[in-house]
Amino acid sequence: MSRVIDNNLPIVPWVGLGGIKLYSHISQFYDLIVNMDEKSRLFTKFFIRYEIKDSVDLWFNLMNGKLFKITALKDYKGLLFNKIHIGMHIDEVLKIEPSFQYHDFEEVYVSSNGIYIETDPIEHTVLWMSVFVKEIDNDDLREGIGKECLWRICR
């Protein structure tokens, strides 16, 4: 099955963006990854990121093949919470969604509502936004294994 990313669809925390859903299996993206011949980067022996033309980054756990994070990049036009977009000043973002807190170590804004935002250090505008699975901070996810078969996909 070939996937198409729609850069105009809403960004939905805990769910996905661009018509792509979190927890999807990497096998659903083979045609997209191969045909676009874009950059990939292995982050640890268990995580890989595929960059799709300034549109999105797809982050997979190689132990189970599941998509655990999707990052909207500069060409993504869809909105978060029907108002927040890439290029917006962070002060405007914080007025709309005060749940964002700055994380000094990661240098991103984090919301308990399931979203990360990175801003330009000079302009203070949104560079990218990431949605992720609820298990993102789970030690088992970082190690590439899972108690009770991480995300119920033990097969």
Side-chain angles (χ1 to χ4, degrees), residues 98-112:
S99 71
F100 281 103
Q101 299 294 316
Y102 189 74
H103 190 283
D104 288 321
F105 181 75
E106 297 290 337
E107 297 180 335
V108 296
Y109 287 85
V110 180
S111 170
S112 58

Side-chain angles (χ1 to χ4, degrees), residues 45-60:
K45 53 186 160 180
F46 301 118
F47 299 151
I48 193 164
R49 178 197 72 190
Y50 290 99
E51 181 181 335
I52 311 298
K53 287 190 180 179
D54 297 323
S55 172
V56 299
D57 281 347
L58 303 173
W59 304 73
F60 293 95

Side-chain angles (χ1 to χ4, degrees), residues 52-150:
I52 311 298
K53 287 190 180 179
D54 297 323
S55 172
V56 299
D57 281 347
L58 303 173
W59 304 73
F60 293 95
N61 178 327
L62 294 175
M63 292 299 288
N64 60 21
K66 293 296 182 171
L67 184 63
F68 69 91
K69 182 167 78 169
I70 311 168
T71 302
L73 303 174
K74 69 179 187 172
D75 289 345
Y76 199 88
K77 305 299 180 210
L79 300 177
L80 170 67
F81 306 132
N82 295 315
K83 295 180 183 178
I84 299 171
H85 60 85
I86 293 181
M88 179 179 271
H89 197 280
I90 193 61
D91 290 346
E92 293 178 57
V93 171
L94 295 173
K95 286 178 188 171
I96 295 167
E97 183 55 48
S99 71
F100 281 103
Q101 299 294 316
Y102 189 74
H103 190 283
D104 288 321
F105 181 75
E106 297 290 337
E107 297 180 335
V108 296
Y109 287 85
V110 180
S111 170
S112 58
N113 293 324
I115 191 99
Y116 297 143
I117 289 181
E118 182 173 341
T119 56
D120 180 283
I122 297 168
E123 301 293 324
H124 306 289
T125 54
V126 175
L127 292 176
W128 56 254
M129 293 184 264
S130 292
V131 295
F132 48 86
V133 297
K134 291 182 179 182
E135 300 89 347
I136 196 79
D137 290 325
N138 184 317
D139 288 337
D140 293 331
L141 173 64
R142 286 192 293 275
E143 294 170 14
I145 59 173
K147 293 179 186 166
E148 300 175 15
C149 299
L150 187 58

